[in-house]
Amino acid sequence: MGKAPAGRDNKNRRKQPSRLRPKNAIRKSKTNDKPKDKKKDKKRNRKKFTGDKKIKSNDKKNNNTKIELAPAVKKKKKEIIFVQWANVLQQRSFFVNQYESANRVRLSSLELDSLPETCMLELCQSPAQNQNTTGNLGEHVKVAFGSSWKEVLCGKYLKQGKVDTGSPALLVISASALRSLDFLRELRNLTQDCHPAKLFSKHMKVEEQVSMLENRVNIATGTPNRIKKLIDMEVLKLSRLAVIVFDMHTDVKGYSLFSLPQVRDEFWDLYKAYFHQPWLEGKLRFCLYGPVPINLDETKSETSDD
């Protein structure tokens, strides 16, 4: 038998009653059209109500049981002040804290007890202590070297066995070349007969500094990176070195020799390599020149221990 055309099949499907149609073809009735069962709604509401009551009863039980929490510990804010001319104890505590925090090392009690009182230079003992001593580093240095300051800091001739070439008695370390030049201006009265050594990289070549250190040098100023490089080259010698001045000046952003990231790392590399052990042995004296941040809590504890 031949097949019926497709158009007739579609007409026959339309004429079929709803009972004979497939399930997918039956339209779903809207939910609003269904009659609501009031009994079922009442049962649901009762269940919700009883559930709320149970929750409330549990809340009451929890409220009756008191939970004691530990009191929150409030951290005390560090009371920090800046001292223009810090004394020996203040300078030493600040420098040791900076060394330990930067290098993640703790100095033993034996090492700290072995430090002599003269390990730090107290600049406020100068004759001009009652006046504004800013810019008078030369006067402070004279007091530090005592009666021999003129021979040590102003002499211009080499002495065999006593004064070697390129061996300064005073070394000033700062964070920048501009600060090194500022110190040279303050030390101008001591550098008229014997020229100082400029040990920084800005506008200064290593060859020029090497030729400069072939003569007698009493005073040298510079930055940590170039100072270490010249010591490694065995051009800058430390046989006469007695006092090292650390610049505490902060720049516009608040960075100093101990906080400026790259310079700080270079400084501690220089210190650990050449200055740490002589300082512990009492062969070197350090000086923090400028305002020093002091923690009042630490100073109170030190005074109470004494």
Side-chain angles (χ1 to χ4, degrees):
M1 293 176 68
K3 292 183 179 180
R8 292 181 182 178
D9 292 339
N10 293 331
K11 289 180 180 179
N12 294 329
R13 287 180 185 175
R14 290 176 187 171
K15 293 179 180 179
Q16 286 179 358
S18 61
R19 292 180 182 177
L20 298 177
R21 288 179 188 174
K23 292 182 180 180
N24 296 331
I26 299 171
R27 293 182 181 179
K28 293 182 180 179
S29 60
K30 295 181 180 180
T31 55
N32 296 331
D33 298 338
K34 289 183 179 180
K36 292 183 179 179
D37 294 335
K38 293 182 179 180
K39 292 182 180 180
K40 289 182 179 180
D41 293 337
K42 286 181 180 180
K43 287 181 181 179
R44 288 174 184 172
N45 292 332
R46 283 175 187 173
K47 287 179 181 179
K48 288 180 181 179
F49 186 73
T50 53
D52 294 339
K53 273 190 173 180
K54 287 179 181 178
I55 292 165
K56 287 179 181 179
S57 61
N58 290 331
D59 292 339
K60 287 180 180 179
K61 289 179 182 179
N62 292 330
N63 290 331
N64 293 330
T65 56
K66 294 181 180 180
I67 299 171
E68 295 182 358
L69 298 174
V73 179
K74 294 182 179 179
K75 293 183 178 180
K76 292 183 179 180
K77 292 183 179 179
K78 293 181 179 180
E79 297 181 7
I80 297 175
I81 59 171
F82 286 86
V83 180
Q84 181 65 30
W85 306 120
N87 58 31
V88 173
L89 293 177
Q90 291 171 342
Q91 290 186 58
R92 188 179 68 177
S93 63
F94 173 81
F95 187 78
V96 170
N97 289 334
Q98 291 294 314
Y99 170 75
E100 291 178 344
S101 62
N103 299 282
R104 297 179 182 179
V105 178
R106 294 285 295 177
L107 290 177
S108 64
S109 58
L110 291 174
E111 289 175 326
L112 292 174
D113 293 338
S114 63
L115 286 172
E117 294 182 357
T118 57
C119 66
M120 306 300 292
L121 187 63
E122 191 167 1
L123 293 181
C124 60
Q125 292 180 352
S126 67
Q129 61 181 347
N130 296 325
Q131 302 173 1
N132 185 9
T133 54
T134 305
N136 288 331
L137 180 59
E139 298 298 324
H140 293 300
V141 169
K142 288 180 183 179
V143 176
F145 281 90
S147 59
S148 62
W149 69 266
K150 196 168 187 179
E151 180 184 353
V152 175
L153 299 174
C154 300
K156 59 181 178 179
Y157 299 110
L158 293 171
K159 295 181 180 180
Q160 293 182 354
K162 291 184 178 181
V163 179
D164 298 328
T165 58
S167 58
L170 173 67
L171 178 63
V172 183
I173 303 176
S174 57
S176 65
L178 293 175
R179 286 296 300 167
S180 299
L181 294 174
D182 291 339
F183 281 113
L184 290 177
R185 294 187 189 98
E186 295 185 24
L187 298 168
R188 189 175 296 169
N189 294 331
L190 302 175
T191 57
Q192 293 177 356
D193 295 331
C194 183
H195 295 291
K198 302 174 184 177
L199 309 178
F200 45 82
S201 58
K202 192 172 184 179
H203 304 300
M204 294 290 293
K205 295 182 180 180
V206 177
E207 292 77 11
E208 296 175 358
Q209 293 167 343
V210 170
S211 62
M212 186 188 302
L213 292 171
E214 290 177 353
N215 303 314
R216 174 169 175 165
V217 175
N218 299 323
I219 298 171
T221 62
T223 53
N225 188 19
R226 185 53 60 92
I227 291 172
K228 186 176 184 300
K229 187 173 184 178
L230 293 170
I231 296 174
D232 293 338
M233 294 172 62
E234 297 182 356
V235 179
L236 179 63
K237 301 168 186 175
L238 307 177
S239 58
R240 292 178 62 221
L241 189 60
V243 176
I244 301 177
V245 177
F246 301 127
D247 183 18
M248 295 298 298
H249 173 77
T250 55
D251 60 8
V252 179
K253 295 182 179 180
Y255 289 114
S256 67
L257 178 66
F258 295 97
S259 59
L260 191 62
Q262 184 177 357
V263 177
R264 176 189 60 192
D265 297 338
E266 293 169 354
F267 168 75
W268 289 117
D269 290 341
L270 169 65
Y271 171 79
K272 289 185 291 183
Y274 296 106
F275 302 146
H276 181 64
Q277 196 59 36
W279 183 62
L280 292 178
E281 295 174 358
K283 297 178 181 178
L284 280 177
R285 285 188 293 171
F286 294 162
C287 170
L288 303 180
Y289 189 74
V292 180
I294 303 299
N295 189 355
L296 292 178
D297 296 334
E298 293 180 358
T299 54
K300 288 176 183 178
S301 62
E302 287 179 0
T303 53
S304 62
D305 293 339
D306 295 339

